[in-house]
Amino acid sequence: MQQKKYTGLIAVGAILLILVIWVFTSYNSLIKNEEKVKLQWSEVQSTYQRRLDLIPSLVNVVKGVSDFEQTTLTKITEARSKALSGMSNDDITAENYQKQKQLQDTLAASANRMIMLIEKYPTLKGTAAYSGLQTQLEGSERRIKVARNDFNKAVADYNRKVRSFPANIVAGLFGFKKKDGFEAAAGTEKSVEIKF
């Protein structure tokens, strides 16, 4: 009788130990995925910042080489200022990144308008400084697209983990919630493009 009781306690203890190990590994896996989302969000922010840093240089080159339309330069400066004020690493929420995406898309559209108007100024198009900035801006747009895609992949991996059984039990116990990624605005099939 004593032997059966002892064997039963060992079996219950082993099951509890396996359950505790499973909870710890599931929790750590969820943390890892959540940190990946945060890392990718920081990368998106970094690529946005790169664009914001290039715009003033581009505007200054344009100002220096031509009698460019002042309203265009004012609009791009205002768009950059708004985009800069919208930068935030605080909350990784769909509302936050949709707001940032709108501000960044407005900035990209303003830069696109400026570049189209530049074609009227052949002297400016041939300037080495302008050409270098143009290439860097094009590279920034590519980086933003890649960073957004990587962020969405990290969010998808995290959400798959949060929603799949049995990890969803641990996610529910510790408050891990589904996250939203970037979504295209209605009617747009591709990101804002800077055309050269």
Side-chain angles (χ1 to χ4, degrees), residues 24-73:
F24 279 126
T25 54
S26 293
Y27 178 81
N28 288 337
S29 180
L30 287 165
I31 290 292
K32 180 180 173 185
N33 284 47
E34 188 174 53
E35 289 303 313
K36 176 75 173 176
V37 169
K38 289 178 183 177
L39 177 69
Q40 291 308 133
W41 179 242
S42 293
E43 184 62 29
V44 170
Q45 297 286 73
S46 175
T47 57
Y48 282 166
Q49 188 61 53
R50 185 177 193 277
R51 178 200 280 160
L52 289 169
D53 293 344
L54 284 173
I55 295 295
S57 299
L58 186 61
V59 169
N60 286 335
V61 167
V62 171
K63 274 184 189 175
V65 178
S66 67
D67 296 329
F68 205 66
E69 295 180 31
Q70 190 58 40
T71 56
T72 303
L73 296 177

Side-chain angles (χ1 to χ4, degrees), residues 73-86:
L73 296 177
T74 302
K75 284 181 183 177
I76 199 167
T77 303
E78 288 171 359
R80 180 188 178 273
S81 185
K82 286 179 183 175
L84 187 59
S85 71

Side-chain angles (χ1 to χ4, degrees), residues 5-178:
K5 188 175 182 183
Y6 183 69
T7 305
L9 284 174
I10 290 176
V12 168
I15 290 171
L16 284 175
L17 181 63
I18 290 170
L19 187 60
V20 166
I21 290 171
W22 171 77
V23 167
F24 279 126
T25 54
S26 293
Y27 178 81
N28 288 337
S29 180
L30 287 165
I31 290 292
K32 180 180 173 185
N33 284 47
E34 188 174 53
E35 289 303 313
K36 176 75 173 176
V37 169
K38 289 178 183 177
L39 177 69
Q40 291 308 133
W41 179 242
S42 293
E43 184 62 29
V44 170
Q45 297 286 73
S46 175
T47 57
Y48 282 166
Q49 188 61 53
R50 185 177 193 277
R51 178 200 280 160
L52 289 169
D53 293 344
L54 284 173
I55 295 295
S57 299
L58 186 61
V59 169
N60 286 335
V61 167
V62 171
K63 274 184 189 175
V65 178
S66 67
D67 296 329
F68 205 66
E69 295 180 31
Q70 190 58 40
T71 56
T72 303
L73 296 177
T74 302
K75 284 181 183 177
I76 199 167
T77 303
E78 288 171 359
R80 180 188 178 273
S81 185
K82 286 179 183 175
L84 187 59
S85 71
M87 296 282 286
S88 169
N89 274 327
D90 298 341
D91 272 339
I92 301 178
T93 63
E95 181 182 330
N96 186 349
Y97 30 85
Q98 286 304 335
K99 176 184 166 192
Q100 285 192 36
K101 181 183 179 300
Q102 283 180 319
L103 292 171
Q104 290 289 332
D105 288 351
T106 301
L107 176 60
S110 295
N112 196 13
R113 271 186 244 110
M114 180 177 71
I115 289 168
M116 286 188 298
L117 289 171
I118 285 170
E119 292 179 2
K120 295 179 183 177
Y121 296 91
T123 305
L124 182 60
K125 284 171 46 176
T127 304
Y130 173 73
S131 296
L133 286 169
Q134 188 178 30
T135 301
Q136 287 184 39
L137 193 56
E138 183 180 52
S140 286
E141 295 307 312
R142 283 194 197 110
R143 283 183 177 97
I144 287 169
K145 182 179 179 183
V146 168
R148 284 180 179 176
N149 288 342
D150 290 347
F151 175 74
N152 278 348
K153 183 181 180 315
V155 167
D157 291 345
Y158 169 83
N159 287 341
R160 189 172 26 261
K161 190 79 165 175
V162 166
R163 294 178 59 217
S164 63
F165 182 80
N168 63 346
I169 296 168
V170 175
L173 286 172
F174 292 101
F176 290 94
K177 300 206 182 324
K178 184 180 176 283

